[in-house]
Amino acid sequence: MFTLVVSVLWQTPTQVQQQMVQCLNDISLKHFTPVHALVVAYYNSQLQESLSRILENETQERNKLYWERDFGNKLLQDLHKSEKWSLLLYLNNDKWNEEMPQSKHGSYIIISLHHHHKNVVQDVSVQIKKLRNDWDWNPRAKFIITLPHAEGNSTKQLAADVFNELWRWRVINMIAVIPALGPKNTTDAVPVLDVYTWFPYRPPGRCADVRDPVVLDHWIVDKYGNGSFLNNATLFPEKVPKDLQGCPIVASLFELEPAVMSKKFTTEDSAKTVFNEGIEIRLLQEFGSATNMTVKYIEPPSGELWGVPLENGSWTGTSGQLVLGLVDVAMDLYFYRCDIIKGTECLTPHMIDHVRWYVPCAAPFPGWMSLIRVFTLSLWLGFLVSYFIVAFIMWQVVKKSNTMFTQSMENQGYTSLVKCLMNFWAIILGESVPNNPPEKPVIRMVFLIWVLYCLAINTVYQTYLTSFLVDPGLQHQISSDEEVINSGMEYGVPAPVLSVVPDLTGYRYQRLLHCNDYKVCQDRIAFKRDFSYIYSTFSMDFTIAARYTNGDGKQLICSFEEIFSSQLITVPVPKGYIMLDRFNQIILHLLQAGIIDQWFKDIKYTTSLRSRVENDVLSGEYIKLSLLHMQSAIYILLLGLLLSFIVFLYEILFCRNAQGYSKRLSGF
Ligand SMILES: *[C@@H]1O[C@H](CO)[C@@H](O)[C@H](O)[C@H]1NC(C)=O
Ligand SMILES: *[C@@H]1O[C@H](CO)[C@@H](O)[C@H](O)[C@H]1NC(C)=O
Ligand SMILES: *[C@@H]1O[C@H](CO)[C@@H](O)[C@H](O)[C@H]1NC(C)=O
Ligand SMILES: *[C@@H]1O[C@H](CO)[C@@H](O)[C@H](O)[C@H]1NC(C)=O
Ligand SMILES: *[C@@H]1O[C@H](CO)[C@@H](O)[C@H](O)[C@H]1NC(C)=O
Ligand SMILES: *[C@@H]1O[C@H](CO)[C@@H](O)[C@H](O)[C@H]1NC(C)=O
Ligand SMILES: *[C@@H]1O[C@H](CO)[C@@H](O)[C@H](O)[C@H]1NC(C)=O
């Protein structure tokens, strides 16, 4: 718990200051939890400045020095002597702790040394800003504020303004200790200090606008100079009611399936987007209905999404809105970043997401390859070589037999290599040979071997060809991180993901691009197939089901098992958000009941159904063969026609010339 003491003590009589010390001690002992650090903060150098600037006369200066020497020392001494807290003294010129959190501060005492209304408020504001800069800053604490009789406005107004300043940073458990004014009571107990506080949600229906601070208790002094509280009131009562009577939860969100989905309503004057579906919208509605709060939406500046850190330490996007306190919660599958963003806290994570590579799916083999893909290159070569070898052997065998047997053969079909090749070509194609092979056993043997060989090859070829024509199959699918990087393909990541996955900034991923418009990136993966990227599994599972599935139910974007990194999905809130515990409880109940999983399944199912209806899917086990399937046959046909046409042309030209030549010859 924290204590905030703001005081303009140098203006008040010495006795009041002594009482103030007593009073602060008393409150500290009664209300502050031990163990946690107690922070005492005041503006030391401000004091010196104000000495020359604000103070005009000696009396005031003396009072001020008195404060320096005695009040501060006495307060610190007393607090220290109790040995209940580790005391941190915070003066404005100290370097504040920039390191990672150690343990949250237990309480604060902040002291302002001004006496003008405006200056006091400004001073408190500046001090709070400095304190907030610390990782250990804890607005969910108890605060005590001591205020002076400010010039220019009522004490109540001053208390209200200071409370307002603290409420901006979600400090709620605060009291102000203010020297009492007015007619002194003549009984033996004299009220010296009043204790103020405010109730943000009282009367019911009011939503945390600081209007009227109320007096909780009086610090009275008896005739011996002993101080005590008059009513022993509870100084830090519970201030957040169970039923918030329609006070707003302001959420920062943007469309991101399946967490936040919208429906567009077009009215006559404008088109309005209403976020009304999605896992986190349902979660938000659950928060709202459990506490009777109303949900309001704000969208982050366009294109900034979750936001990235800027060089000066501030954040853009929904994270930035949180840090500035403009919104109460941020949504959209927010990866846990509360360890790197000061000024935010995270609710209990409600899902675990995995970050994976998303790569183009393997492309089907082009149809024109079907005819030649049946065999590997080596088999084709082997086949070709055996074709030539057997033809050559046939030719040689026929030649040999012609020379050995003097009577010339009636059959001249195999007497040259070209003739052999032509005949064997006919056998390959399963055609009959125009002439019988010579009736020599050796020749017939060679012929028969070739026929058998071709029969085997042909049968296998045709069997496979049919299946390749019907389903050409897929080319190689990228299936590891290594392959993506070595493929030479461009790859990227949405910038907000980069801030939570530091591995990606390493040397290995030096060619990593930033993918600012993730829809463009997805389209590029699905349709141009020249890009890969790293993204959330939840979101992509869903996006693929909804948008990147073709008519046959095949995905256009693929992934592989390898998980790049696992991330907690949470709902961040500004540090000190009063509903944190209540919301955590709701999340816990939803998780234990398995409702969040159920939502996910529901939404995925309905969305994929809807996208099926929209795409008008016609899919089945049997497909009609189309020109696309027969591509290769047609290409071969065209090639053949082209070749024969060329030969035809060539023949016409060549023959005409030959005739002309012979005519000219005969003319002589
Ligand atoms: C000095 O301060 C006292 C009390 O605040 C006041 O009565 C007195 O008039 C001041 N003197 C001058 C010169 O301002
Ligand atoms: C009195 O309070 C109002 C409202 O907070 C503020 O604007 C004004 O500056 C105050 N007056 C003085 C003299 O400080
Ligand atoms: C004096 O104090 C007592 C007890 O706090 C109170 O009842 C009484 O009204 C006070 N008198 C005046 C004149 O303020
Ligand atoms: C009040 O003061 C008197 C005289 O100084 C002292 O004897 C007494 O113990 C004190 N009482 C308390 C409760 O501090
Ligand atoms: C307040 O508490 C103190 C000690 O705890 C006790 O002496 C005193 O009588 C109480 N006063 C009231 C009004 O209850
Ligand atoms: C919820 O808040 C409204 C005011 O916005 C109130 O009228 C209603 O009674 C509350 N509901 C419950 C159940 O308390
Ligand atoms: C940081 O820089 C951005 C623009 O670059 C600016 O809008 C923002 O106000 C700056 N924040 C701080 C705290 O300086």
Side-chain angles (χ1 to χ4, degrees):
M1 297 197 194
F2 291 77
T3 310
L4 175 61
V5 183
V6 181
S7 176
V8 182
L9 290 158
W10 46 268
Q11 211 186 5
T12 58
T14 312
Q15 200 218 1
V16 175
Q17 293 180 20
Q18 284 166 353
Q19 288 307 318
M20 186 74 90
V21 173
Q22 255 193 49
C23 177
L24 293 181
N25 257 308
D26 187 76
I27 299 175
S28 310
L29 287 172
K30 275 193 198 143
H31 296 279
F32 293 170
T33 41
V35 181
H36 292 295
L38 165 65
V39 179
V40 180
Y42 59 87
Y43 257 129
N44 197 31
S45 69
Q46 200 87 20
L47 195 64
Q48 264 103 53
E49 278 171 37
S50 50
L51 268 180
S52 51
R53 227 173 352 97
I54 301 168
L55 303 182
E56 298 117 29
N57 82 32
E58 225 175 61
T59 328
Q60 284 177 336
E61 195 164 332
R62 230 184 298 121
N63 277 336
K64 184 167 185 67
L65 291 176
Y66 166 78
W67 190 91
E68 262 296 276
R69 245 190 354 263
D70 292 340
F71 177 80
N73 285 353
K74 186 79 170 62
L75 178 64
L76 290 173
Q77 264 174 25
D78 286 0
L79 291 172
H80 184 66
K81 247 189 273 169
S82 70
E83 290 186 0
K84 284 199 165 185
W85 310 279
S86 51
L87 267 180
L88 298 174
L89 182 62
Y90 172 45
L91 305 174
N92 74 319
N93 39 7
D94 283 353
K95 254 244 178 289
W96 207 226
N97 178 14
E98 273 294 330
E99 285 150 24
M100 292 308 277
Q102 288 151 5
S103 78
K104 286 187 175 176
H105 291 150
S107 24
Y108 294 101
I109 296 177
I110 300 172
I111 297 159
S112 163
L113 299 167
H114 292 275
H115 67 303
H116 281 288
H117 180 103
K118 236 166 61 193
N119 293 348
V120 173
V121 175
Q122 198 185 356
D123 186 26
V124 172
S125 157
V126 170
Q127 296 210 38
I128 291 294
K129 205 174 275 173
K130 293 256 175 177
L131 289 172
R132 277 182 64 237
N133 228 6
D134 195 284
W135 277 104
D136 295 336
W137 156 252
N138 177 14
R140 197 169 282 111
K142 292 175 183 169
F143 286 77
I144 308 172
I145 311 161
T146 62
L147 296 175
H149 307 293
E151 288 165 15
N153 264 327
S154 73
T155 310
K156 263 197 169 170
Q157 182 62 48
L158 180 60
D161 286 353
V162 170
F163 286 154
N164 209 1
E165 200 54 49
L166 290 172
W167 176 244
R168 274 179 61 196
W169 310 114
R170 318 227 171 216
V171 174
I172 187 169
N173 280 320
M174 50 194 167
I175 54 175
V177 180
I178 303 177
L181 270 185
K184 286 280 180 280
N185 208 318
T186 46
T187 57
D188 52 2
V190 187
V192 192
L193 303 167
D194 293 336
V195 177
Y196 286 82
T197 193
W198 71 294
F199 291 90
Y201 299 100
R202 199 186 288 176
R206 178 176 287 186
C207 296
D209 52 334
V210 183
R211 256 180 291 176
D212 29 34
V214 294
V215 177
L216 269 182
D217 209 343
H218 306 276
W219 179 262
I220 52 169
V221 185
D222 62 18
K223 58 188 171 211
Y224 305 110
N226 297 345
S228 67
F229 276 109
L230 183 62
N231 304 320
N232 286 354
T234 316
L235 292 184
F236 299 100
E238 184 55 50
K239 290 184 180 170
V240 184
K242 287 261 180 294
D243 177 357
L244 280 123
Q245 301 278 342
C247 288
I249 311 175
V250 184
S252 171
L253 40 84
F254 50 90
E255 178 141 28
L256 181 79
E257 293 153 331
V260 175
M261 291 147 75
S262 68
K263 193 174 183 179
K264 290 193 171 52
F265 290 106
T266 319
T267 57
E268 58 265 17
D269 42 331
S270 66
K272 197 170 78 171
T273 306
V274 174
F275 297 110
N276 62 349
E277 180 57 302
I279 296 174
E280 296 197 336
I281 291 292
R282 292 190 189 188
L283 186 63
L284 201 54
Q285 286 166 349
E286 208 61 41
F287 289 162
S289 65
T291 54
N292 200 10
M293 293 173 93
T294 51
V295 177
K296 286 188 181 162
Y297 310 114
I298 293 182
E299 287 186 69
S302 68
E304 291 187 358
L305 309 183
W306 304 273
V308 291
L310 296 176
E311 271 166 21
N312 61 14
S314 61
W315 285 69
T316 60
T318 56
S319 308
Q321 291 181 316
L322 274 179
V323 173
L324 293 178
L326 303 178
V327 296
D328 297 326
V329 294
M331 291 271 169
D332 285 294
L333 302 180
Y334 194 97
F335 289 168
Y336 192 97
R337 291 183 185 81
C338 294
D339 51 338
I340 52 173
I341 308 181
K342 251 184 222 174
T344 62
E345 288 178 316
C346 283
L347 300 187
T348 307
H350 54 279
M351 292 194 281
I352 296 178
D353 198 359
H354 303 296
V355 177
R356 282 180 210 267
W357 277 105
Y358 284 89
V359 295
C361 288
F365 277 104
W368 60 266
M369 284 182 75
S370 302
L371 272 182
I372 50 172
R373 258 183 64 227
V374 177
F375 294 156
T376 57
L377 183 63
S378 58
L379 184 52
W380 278 120
L381 286 179
F383 184 58
L384 202 64
V385 167
S386 52
Y387 169 57
F388 280 110
I389 289 175
V390 177
F392 181 77
I393 290 172
M394 186 73 171
W395 173 47
Q396 288 301 320
V397 169
V398 170
K399 217 162 88 178
K400 271 272 152 21
S401 73
N402 275 354
T403 51
M404 278 163 65
F405 305 95
T406 45
Q407 93 244 43
S408 70
M409 247 178 277
E410 70 280 10
N411 185 337
Q412 297 294 309
Y414 297 88
T415 47
S416 78
L417 181 60
V418 175
K419 282 179 182 167
C420 286
L421 285 174
M422 295 305 277
N423 283 329
F424 280 10
W425 180 249
I427 296 173
I428 292 174
L429 297 180
E431 293 297 317
S432 53
V433 180
N435 42 25
N436 278 336
E439 289 181 15
K440 293 279 170 359
V442 188
I443 297 173
R444 293 245 154 152
M445 200 65 191
V446 177
F447 187 79
L448 186 64
I449 288 173
W450 182 243
V451 170
L452 287 179
Y453 177 73
C454 285
L455 180 69
I457 294 277
N458 236 331
T459 311
V460 173
Y461 180 79
Q462 288 184 12
T463 314
Y464 275 79
L465 181 64
T466 317
S467 61
F468 277 137
L469 282 178
V470 174
D471 177 12
L474 298 176
Q475 291 172 351
H476 175 70
Q477 172 71 55
I478 294 178
S479 57
S480 75
D481 185 66
E482 198 69 38
E483 272 182 56
V484 176
I485 290 168
N486 294 336
S487 68
M489 193 191 291
E490 285 191 329
Y491 54 87
V493 65
V497 174
L498 197 60
S499 64
V500 284
V501 188
D503 291 358
L504 282 172
T505 50
Y507 176 76
R508 183 176 164 80
Y509 302 101
Q510 51 181 330
R511 291 193 298 117
L512 193 75
L513 302 175
H514 285 198
C515 196
N516 290 327
D517 186 340
Y518 57 100
K519 285 219 171 92
V520 171
C521 291
Q522 288 165 0
D523 282 351
R524 212 174 141 189
I525 300 174
F527 304 122
K528 284 175 75 185
R529 297 167 181 286
D530 63 348
F531 196 69
S532 300
Y533 87 148
I534 297 171
Y535 201 49
S536 133
T537 305
F538 265 136
S539 171
M540 281 308 284
D541 268 4
F542 197 84
T543 312
I544 291 172
R547 249 180 300 138
Y548 297 103
T549 306
N550 67 10
D552 306 332
K554 287 215 190 79
Q555 300 187 352
L556 298 178
I557 296 180
C558 288
S559 183
F560 41 87
E561 271 308 300
E562 199 174 319
I563 290 171
F564 196 88
S565 132
S566 290
Q567 296 289 333
L568 298 174
I569 293 181
T570 179
V571 175
V573 296
K575 206 161 188 178
Y577 186 51
I578 49 166
M579 302 305 289
L580 179 97
D581 290 334
R582 299 271 292 281
F583 287 176
N584 271 341
Q585 210 127 54
I586 295 168
I587 289 178
L588 214 59
H589 290 164
L590 291 174
L591 281 178
Q592 284 169 348
I595 287 176
I596 291 181
D597 280 347
Q598 183 60 33
W599 286 346
F600 185 72
K601 282 182 199 150
D602 268 8
I603 291 173
K604 194 170 172 183
Y605 180 66
T606 50
T607 311
S608 66
L609 280 188
R610 201 177 309 133
S611 75
R612 284 298 163 93
V613 170
E614 279 163 11
N615 288 351
D616 191 19
V617 179
L618 255 184
S619 76
E621 204 172 331
Y622 302 103
I623 50 169
K624 288 180 188 158
L625 288 187
S626 61
L627 266 185
L628 207 65
H629 293 101
M630 304 307 289
Q631 235 178 20
S632 54
I634 287 167
Y635 283 149
I636 293 281
L637 177 66
L638 286 179
L639 193 67
L641 288 177
L642 188 68
L643 275 179
S644 53
F645 183 65
I646 290 171
V647 171
F648 175 64
L649 278 185
Y650 176 78
E651 269 182 3
I652 288 179
L653 292 176
F654 182 78
C655 291
R656 187 177 289 156
N657 283 348
Q659 274 173 4
Y661 182 67
S662 59
K663 266 186 195 152
R664 252 176 284 138
L665 273 184
S666 62
F668 274 100

